[in-house]
Amino acid sequence: MPSNDARTFLHIAVPPAATGVIATVVSAVLAGGKGALGAIIGTLVVIGFMGIGMVVLQRTAKSLPHLFQAMGLMLYMAQLLLLFMLMALLKGTTLFDFEAFAFSLLAVTIVWVAAQARYYMKAKIMYVDPESSKAEKAQKTGSPS
């Protein structure tokens, strides 16, 4: 992962991780050890899913910029669908408290999306490639004198 991508990931992943810590503490108080385990697993699942999605989206933006917006919409829909499927699969588990898992999953997902939106709104991303403008220097137009 290039350093710029790692910096982006760090700025986006810290608020959801903090939310996961808060969710873990609240779940531990309300539901005990199984609640804390559920919140930890929920936090790790969201950070993993969303982090992989962010890497895929950044690679798509670099290689196929014309597909960036469509790929972003499809990726978020796929991520949410996978999270819902995971929740449906784990609904009857006794390994951890499912409610703590579900609420931490929801909270961390909302914070991830908000942190990502905030980061990209504040980022100074160039929308004109300076390399291409240097390569295509303006040539003289008109008739030679």
Side-chain angles (χ1 to χ4, degrees):
M1 181 182 280
S3 65
N4 190 32
D5 294 346
R7 189 175 357 189
T8 301
F9 181 77
L10 184 66
H11 282 285
I12 293 172
V14 168
T19 303
V21 169
I22 293 168
T24 301
V25 170
V26 169
S27 297
V29 169
L30 295 177
K34 285 192 173 191
L37 183 61
I40 290 169
I41 292 172
T43 301
L44 293 177
V45 164
V46 170
I47 291 175
F49 272 46
M50 297 296 187
I52 290 170
M54 191 180 80
V55 169
V56 168
L57 195 58
Q58 286 178 344
R59 299 249 169 120
T60 300
K62 289 177 185 169
S63 62
L64 303 166
H66 58 285
L67 293 178
F68 179 70
Q69 187 174 15
M71 182 70 169
L73 290 171
M74 189 217 45
L75 184 67
Y76 284 126
M77 290 301 295
Q79 286 173 333
L80 291 176
L81 182 64
L82 286 172
L83 287 174
F84 285 136
M85 287 172 46
L86 182 67
M87 286 179 63
L89 287 172
L90 295 175
K91 188 169 183 156
T93 188
T94 58
L95 179 65
F96 52 81
D97 185 39
F98 182 74
E99 288 179 357
F101 170 75
F103 283 119
S104 67
L105 196 81
L106 177 66
V108 174
T109 300
I110 290 170
V111 171
W112 179 282
V113 172
Q116 192 171 18
R118 183 179 184 277
Y119 175 79
Y120 283 118
M121 283 185 354
K122 291 193 168 269
K124 294 178 180 165
I125 300 171
M126 299 183 77
Y127 56 90
V128 176
D129 188 12
E131 301 279 328
S132 65
S133 64
K134 289 179 184 177
E136 300 172 8
K137 291 186 178 181
Q139 297 178 0
K140 292 182 181 179
T141 59
S143 61
S145 326

Short mmCIF file of all heavy atoms in Angstrom, two decimals, residues 49-95:
data_model
loop_
_atom_site.label_atom_id
_atom_site.label_comp_id
_atom_site.label_asym_id
_atom_site.label_seq_id
_atom_site.Cartn_x
_atom_site.Cartn_y
_atom_site.Cartn_z
N PHE A 49 -13.91 -5.23 6.38
CA PHE A 49 -14.72 -5.11 5.16
C PHE A 49 -14.51 -3.75 4.50
O PHE A 49 -14.27 -3.66 3.30
CB PHE A 49 -16.21 -5.27 5.49
CG PHE A 49 -16.71 -6.67 5.48
CD1 PHE A 49 -16.02 -7.68 6.10
CD2 PHE A 49 -17.90 -6.98 4.86
CE1 PHE A 49 -16.50 -8.98 6.11
CE2 PHE A 49 -18.40 -8.28 4.85
CZ PHE A 49 -17.68 -9.27 5.48
N MET A 50 -14.63 -2.70 5.28
CA MET A 50 -14.54 -1.36 4.72
C MET A 50 -13.11 -1.03 4.29
O MET A 50 -12.91 -0.33 3.30
CB MET A 50 -15.04 -0.33 5.73
CG MET A 50 -16.49 -0.48 6.09
SD MET A 50 -17.55 -0.20 4.66
CE MET A 50 -19.13 -0.24 5.42
N GLY A 51 -12.13 -1.53 5.01
CA GLY A 51 -10.73 -1.29 4.61
C GLY A 51 -10.40 -1.97 3.29
O GLY A 51 -9.76 -1.36 2.42
N ILE A 52 -10.82 -3.21 3.14
CA ILE A 52 -10.59 -3.91 1.87
C ILE A 52 -11.32 -3.19 0.74
O ILE A 52 -10.77 -3.01 -0.36
CB ILE A 52 -11.05 -5.38 1.98
CG1 ILE A 52 -10.10 -6.14 2.90
CG2 ILE A 52 -11.10 -6.05 0.60
CD1 ILE A 52 -10.59 -7.53 3.28
N GLY A 53 -12.54 -2.75 1.00
CA GLY A 53 -13.30 -2.01 -0.01
C GLY A 53 -12.62 -0.72 -0.40
O GLY A 53 -12.61 -0.34 -1.57
N MET A 54 -12.04 -0.02 0.57
CA MET A 54 -11.36 1.23 0.27
C MET A 54 -10.13 0.99 -0.60
O MET A 54 -9.86 1.74 -1.55
CB MET A 54 -10.95 1.93 1.57
CG MET A 54 -10.48 3.34 1.34
SD MET A 54 -10.02 4.14 2.87
CE MET A 54 -8.39 3.47 3.10
N VAL A 55 -9.39 -0.07 -0.31
CA VAL A 55 -8.21 -0.40 -1.12
C VAL A 55 -8.64 -0.74 -2.55
O VAL A 55 -8.03 -0.27 -3.52
CB VAL A 55 -7.42 -1.57 -0.48
CG1 VAL A 55 -6.36 -2.09 -1.42
CG2 VAL A 55 -6.80 -1.12 0.83
N VAL A 56 -9.69 -1.53 -2.69
CA VAL A 56 -10.18 -1.89 -4.02
C VAL A 56 -10.63 -0.64 -4.77
O VAL A 56 -10.33 -0.47 -5.97
CB VAL A 56 -11.34 -2.91 -3.91
CG1 VAL A 56 -12.06 -3.07 -5.24
CG2 VAL A 56 -10.82 -4.24 -3.42
N LEU A 57 -11.33 0.25 -4.09
CA LEU A 57 -11.82 1.46 -4.73
C LEU A 57 -10.67 2.38 -5.15
O LEU A 57 -10.71 2.97 -6.23
CB LEU A 57 -12.77 2.19 -3.79
CG LEU A 57 -13.65 3.26 -4.40
CD1 LEU A 57 -14.50 2.68 -5.52
CD2 LEU A 57 -14.53 3.88 -3.35
N GLN A 58 -9.63 2.50 -4.34
CA GLN A 58 -8.50 3.33 -4.70
C GLN A 58 -7.73 2.75 -5.88
O GLN A 58 -7.28 3.48 -6.76
CB GLN A 58 -7.56 3.52 -3.51
CG GLN A 58 -8.14 4.46 -2.48
CD GLN A 58 -7.24 4.63 -1.28
OE1 GLN A 58 -6.34 3.85 -1.04
NE2 GLN A 58 -7.51 5.66 -0.49
N ARG A 59 -7.60 1.44 -5.92
CA ARG A 59 -6.93 0.81 -7.07
C ARG A 59 -7.75 1.00 -8.34
O ARG A 59 -7.20 1.20 -9.41
CB ARG A 59 -6.71 -0.67 -6.80
CG ARG A 59 -5.84 -0.92 -5.60
CD ARG A 59 -4.52 -1.49 -5.99
NE ARG A 59 -3.63 -1.48 -4.85
CZ ARG A 59 -3.09 -2.55 -4.33
NH1 ARG A 59 -3.34 -3.72 -4.85
NH2 ARG A 59 -2.29 -2.44 -3.30
N THR A 60 -9.08 0.92 -8.21
CA THR A 60 -9.95 1.14 -9.37
C THR A 60 -9.82 2.58 -9.85
O THR A 60 -9.78 2.83 -11.06
CB THR A 60 -11.42 0.85 -9.01
OG1 THR A 60 -11.51 -0.51 -8.60
CG2 THR A 60 -12.34 1.09 -10.18
N ALA A 61 -9.76 3.52 -8.93
CA ALA A 61 -9.65 4.93 -9.30
C ALA A 61 -8.35 5.20 -10.06
O ALA A 61 -8.32 6.03 -10.97
CB ALA A 61 -9.72 5.81 -8.06
N LYS A 62 -7.30 4.50 -9.70
CA LYS A 62 -6.02 4.71 -10.38
C LYS A 62 -5.97 4.06 -11.75
O LYS A 62 -5.42 4.62 -12.69
CB LYS A 62 -4.87 4.19 -9.51
CG LYS A 62 -4.63 5.06 -8.30
CD LYS A 62 -3.56 4.49 -7.42
CE LYS A 62 -3.45 5.33 -6.15
NZ LYS A 62 -2.62 4.74 -5.15
N SER A 63 -6.55 2.87 -11.86
CA SER A 63 -6.45 2.16 -13.14
C SER A 63 -7.62 2.43 -14.08
O SER A 63 -7.44 2.48 -15.29
CB SER A 63 -6.32 0.66 -12.89
OG SER A 63 -7.48 0.18 -12.23
N LEU A 64 -8.82 2.61 -13.55
CA LEU A 64 -10.01 2.83 -14.37
C LEU A 64 -10.81 4.01 -13.81
O LEU A 64 -11.88 3.82 -13.23
CB LEU A 64 -10.88 1.58 -14.40
CG LEU A 64 -10.23 0.29 -14.89
CD1 LEU A 64 -11.08 -0.91 -14.56
CD2 LEU A 64 -9.97 0.37 -16.38
N PRO A 65 -10.31 5.23 -13.97
CA PRO A 65 -10.99 6.37 -13.34
C PRO A 65 -12.41 6.60 -13.84
O PRO A 65 -13.24 7.14 -13.11
CB PRO A 65 -10.09 7.56 -13.67
CG PRO A 65 -9.24 7.12 -14.79
CD PRO A 65 -9.13 5.64 -14.72
N HIS A 66 -12.71 6.19 -15.05
CA HIS A 66 -14.06 6.39 -15.58
C HIS A 66 -15.10 5.49 -14.89
O HIS A 66 -16.29 5.74 -14.98
CB HIS A 66 -14.08 6.19 -17.09
CG HIS A 66 -13.61 4.83 -17.53
ND1 HIS A 66 -12.28 4.49 -17.52
CD2 HIS A 66 -14.29 3.75 -17.94
CE1 HIS A 66 -12.16 3.23 -17.93
NE2 HIS A 66 -13.37 2.76 -18.19
N LEU A 67 -14.64 4.44 -14.21
CA LEU A 67 -15.55 3.53 -13.50
C LEU A 67 -15.63 3.81 -12.00
O LEU A 67 -16.28 3.07 -11.27
CB LEU A 67 -15.11 2.09 -13.70
CG LEU A 67 -15.22 1.53 -15.11
CD1 LEU A 67 -14.70 0.11 -15.14
CD2 LEU A 67 -16.65 1.58 -15.58
N PHE A 68 -14.97 4.86 -11.55
CA PHE A 68 -14.83 5.11 -10.12
C PHE A 68 -16.18 5.27 -9.41
O PHE A 68 -16.43 4.62 -8.40
CB PHE A 68 -13.97 6.36 -9.89
CG PHE A 68 -13.78 6.71 -8.44
CD1 PHE A 68 -13.01 5.91 -7.63
CD2 PHE A 68 -14.41 7.81 -7.90
CE1 PHE A 68 -12.84 6.22 -6.29
CE2 PHE A 68 -14.24 8.13 -6.57
CZ PHE A 68 -13.45 7.33 -5.77
N GLN A 69 -17.05 6.11 -9.92
CA GLN A 69 -18.31 6.36 -9.23
C GLN A 69 -19.21 5.12 -9.23
O GLN A 69 -19.76 4.75 -8.20
CB GLN A 69 -19.05 7.53 -9.87
CG GLN A 69 -20.28 7.93 -9.10
CD GLN A 69 -20.93 9.18 -9.66
OE1 GLN A 69 -20.63 9.59 -10.77
NE2 GLN A 69 -21.80 9.78 -8.88
N ALA A 70 -19.32 4.47 -10.37
CA ALA A 70 -20.14 3.26 -10.43
C ALA A 70 -19.57 2.17 -9.53
O ALA A 70 -20.31 1.45 -8.85
CB ALA A 70 -20.24 2.77 -11.87
N MET A 71 -18.25 2.04 -9.53
CA MET A 71 -17.61 1.04 -8.70
C MET A 71 -17.82 1.35 -7.21
O MET A 71 -18.04 0.44 -6.41
CB MET A 71 -16.11 0.98 -9.02
CG MET A 71 -15.36 -0.03 -8.26
SD MET A 71 -15.79 -1.67 -8.80
CE MET A 71 -14.53 -2.60 -7.99
N GLY A 72 -17.77 2.62 -6.85
CA GLY A 72 -18.00 3.00 -5.47
C GLY A 72 -19.40 2.65 -5.00
O GLY A 72 -19.59 2.10 -3.92
N LEU A 73 -20.39 2.95 -5.82
CA LEU A 73 -21.77 2.62 -5.45
C LEU A 73 -21.97 1.12 -5.35
O LEU A 73 -22.61 0.62 -4.42
CB LEU A 73 -22.74 3.22 -6.48
CG LEU A 73 -22.85 4.75 -6.46
CD1 LEU A 73 -23.67 5.23 -7.65
CD2 LEU A 73 -23.46 5.21 -5.16
N MET A 74 -21.43 0.37 -6.32
CA MET A 74 -21.57 -1.08 -6.30
C MET A 74 -20.85 -1.68 -5.09
O MET A 74 -21.34 -2.59 -4.44
CB MET A 74 -21.01 -1.69 -7.58
CG MET A 74 -21.33 -3.16 -7.69
SD MET A 74 -20.08 -4.21 -8.40
CE MET A 74 -18.56 -3.75 -7.68
N LEU A 75 -19.68 -1.13 -4.78
CA LEU A 75 -18.91 -1.64 -3.66
C LEU A 75 -19.63 -1.43 -2.33
O LEU A 75 -19.69 -2.35 -1.51
CB LEU A 75 -17.53 -0.96 -3.63
CG LEU A 75 -16.57 -1.45 -2.58
CD1 LEU A 75 -16.16 -2.87 -2.88
CD2 LEU A 75 -15.37 -0.55 -2.53
N TYR A 76 -20.20 -0.25 -2.11
CA TYR A 76 -20.91 -0.01 -0.86
C TYR A 76 -22.15 -0.90 -0.74
O TYR A 76 -22.46 -1.40 0.33
CB TYR A 76 -21.30 1.47 -0.72
CG TYR A 76 -20.12 2.32 -0.34
CD1 TYR A 76 -19.77 3.43 -1.08
CD2 TYR A 76 -19.35 2.01 0.77
CE1 TYR A 76 -18.68 4.20 -0.74
CE2 TYR A 76 -18.26 2.78 1.12
CZ TYR A 76 -17.94 3.87 0.36
OH TYR A 76 -16.86 4.63 0.70
N MET A 77 -22.85 -1.08 -1.84
CA MET A 77 -24.01 -1.98 -1.81
C MET A 77 -23.57 -3.41 -1.49
O MET A 77 -24.21 -4.11 -0.70
CB MET A 77 -24.76 -1.95 -3.14
CG MET A 77 -25.49 -0.64 -3.39
SD MET A 77 -26.70 -0.25 -2.12
CE MET A 77 -27.85 -1.56 -2.35
N ALA A 78 -22.47 -3.86 -2.09
CA ALA A 78 -21.98 -5.21 -1.83
C ALA A 78 -21.52 -5.36 -0.39
O ALA A 78 -21.78 -6.38 0.26
CB ALA A 78 -20.83 -5.53 -2.79
N GLN A 79 -20.87 -4.33 0.15
CA GLN A 79 -20.42 -4.39 1.53
C GLN A 79 -21.60 -4.48 2.49
O GLN A 79 -21.58 -5.30 3.43
CB GLN A 79 -19.57 -3.16 1.88
CG GLN A 79 -18.19 -3.19 1.28
CD GLN A 79 -17.45 -1.90 1.51
OE1 GLN A 79 -18.04 -0.83 1.66
NE2 GLN A 79 -16.13 -1.99 1.51
N LEU A 80 -22.60 -3.67 2.28
CA LEU A 80 -23.77 -3.71 3.17
C LEU A 80 -24.50 -5.04 3.04
O LEU A 80 -24.94 -5.61 4.04
CB LEU A 80 -24.71 -2.55 2.86
CG LEU A 80 -24.18 -1.17 3.23
CD1 LEU A 80 -25.15 -0.09 2.81
CD2 LEU A 80 -23.90 -1.08 4.72
N LEU A 81 -24.60 -5.56 1.82
CA LEU A 81 -25.24 -6.86 1.63
C LEU A 81 -24.45 -7.96 2.34
O LEU A 81 -25.04 -8.82 3.01
CB LEU A 81 -25.35 -7.17 0.14
CG LEU A 81 -26.04 -8.47 -0.24
CD1 LEU A 81 -27.49 -8.44 0.20
CD2 LEU A 81 -25.94 -8.70 -1.73
N LEU A 82 -23.14 -7.93 2.25
CA LEU A 82 -22.32 -8.93 2.93
C LEU A 82 -22.43 -8.81 4.45
O LEU A 82 -22.46 -9.83 5.16
CB LEU A 82 -20.86 -8.82 2.50
CG LEU A 82 -20.54 -9.35 1.11
CD1 LEU A 82 -19.11 -9.00 0.71
CD2 LEU A 82 -20.76 -10.85 1.04
N LEU A 83 -22.51 -7.58 4.95
CA LEU A 83 -22.68 -7.40 6.40
C LEU A 83 -24.03 -7.94 6.87
O LEU A 83 -24.12 -8.59 7.91
CB LEU A 83 -22.53 -5.92 6.78
CG LEU A 83 -21.12 -5.36 6.73
CD1 LEU A 83 -21.13 -3.86 6.97
CD2 LEU A 83 -20.20 -6.05 7.70
N PHE A 84 -25.09 -7.71 6.09
CA PHE A 84 -26.40 -8.25 6.44
C PHE A 84 -26.39 -9.78 6.39
O PHE A 84 -26.98 -10.44 7.24
CB PHE A 84 -27.49 -7.70 5.53
CG PHE A 84 -27.87 -6.28 5.84
CD1 PHE A 84 -28.05 -5.36 4.82
CD2 PHE A 84 -28.04 -5.85 7.14
CE1 PHE A 84 -28.39 -4.05 5.09
CE2 PHE A 84 -28.39 -4.54 7.43
CZ PHE A 84 -28.56 -3.64 6.39
N MET A 85 -25.72 -10.34 5.38
CA MET A 85 -25.63 -11.80 5.27
C MET A 85 -24.87 -12.38 6.46
O MET A 85 -25.25 -13.42 7.01
CB MET A 85 -24.97 -12.20 3.95
CG MET A 85 -25.86 -11.99 2.75
SD MET A 85 -25.07 -12.22 1.14
CE MET A 85 -24.17 -13.71 1.33
N LEU A 86 -23.79 -11.72 6.87
CA LEU A 86 -23.01 -12.17 8.02
C LEU A 86 -23.87 -12.12 9.29
O LEU A 86 -23.83 -13.05 10.10
CB LEU A 86 -21.76 -11.32 8.18
CG LEU A 86 -20.84 -11.71 9.31
CD1 LEU A 86 -20.20 -13.08 9.03
CD2 LEU A 86 -19.76 -10.67 9.51
N MET A 87 -24.65 -11.07 9.42
CA MET A 87 -25.53 -10.98 10.59
C MET A 87 -26.57 -12.10 10.58
O MET A 87 -26.88 -12.67 11.62
CB MET A 87 -26.22 -9.62 10.63
CG MET A 87 -25.30 -8.50 11.05
SD MET A 87 -26.09 -6.90 11.08
CE MET A 87 -27.32 -7.15 12.34
N ALA A 88 -27.10 -12.41 9.41
CA ALA A 88 -28.09 -13.49 9.32
C ALA A 88 -27.46 -14.84 9.65
O ALA A 88 -28.09 -15.68 10.30
CB ALA A 88 -28.69 -13.52 7.91
N LEU A 89 -26.21 -15.05 9.23
CA LEU A 89 -25.53 -16.31 9.53
C LEU A 89 -25.21 -16.47 11.01
O LEU A 89 -25.24 -17.57 11.55
CB LEU A 89 -24.24 -16.42 8.72
CG LEU A 89 -24.40 -16.69 7.22
CD1 LEU A 89 -23.04 -16.58 6.52
CD2 LEU A 89 -24.99 -18.07 6.99
N LEU A 90 -24.88 -15.37 11.67
CA LEU A 90 -24.45 -15.43 13.06
C LEU A 90 -25.58 -15.16 14.06
O LEU A 90 -25.33 -15.05 15.26
CB LEU A 90 -23.32 -14.42 13.30
CG LEU A 90 -22.02 -14.69 12.54
CD1 LEU A 90 -21.04 -13.56 12.76
CD2 LEU A 90 -21.42 -16.01 12.97
N LYS A 91 -26.81 -15.06 13.58
CA LYS A 91 -27.92 -14.68 14.46
C LYS A 91 -28.11 -15.63 15.64
O LYS A 91 -28.36 -15.20 16.75
CB LYS A 91 -29.21 -14.58 13.67
CG LYS A 91 -30.33 -14.02 14.49
CD LYS A 91 -31.52 -13.68 13.66
CE LYS A 91 -32.55 -13.06 14.58
NZ LYS A 91 -33.47 -12.21 13.92
N GLY A 92 -27.95 -16.91 15.45
CA GLY A 92 -28.18 -17.86 16.53
C GLY A 92 -26.93 -18.27 17.28
O GLY A 92 -26.95 -19.24 18.03
N THR A 93 -25.86 -17.55 17.15
CA THR A 93 -24.60 -17.95 17.79
C THR A 93 -24.66 -17.78 19.30
O THR A 93 -25.34 -16.91 19.83
CB THR A 93 -23.42 -17.15 17.21
OG1 THR A 93 -22.21 -17.70 17.72
CG2 THR A 93 -23.49 -15.70 17.57
N THR A 94 -23.92 -18.65 19.97
CA THR A 94 -23.79 -18.53 21.42
C THR A 94 -22.36 -18.17 21.82
O THR A 94 -22.05 -18.08 23.00
CB THR A 94 -24.17 -19.87 22.10
OG1 THR A 94 -23.34 -20.91 21.58
CG2 THR A 94 -25.63 -20.19 21.84
N LEU A 95 -21.52 -17.96 20.82
CA LEU A 95 -20.12 -17.61 21.07
C LEU A 95 -19.99 -16.22 21.69
O LEU A 95 -19.16 -15.97 22.55
CB LEU A 95 -19.32 -17.68 19.77
CG LEU A 95 -17.84 -17.32 19.84
CD1 LEU A 95 -17.11 -18.33 20.71
CD2 LEU A 95 -17.23 -17.28 18.46
#
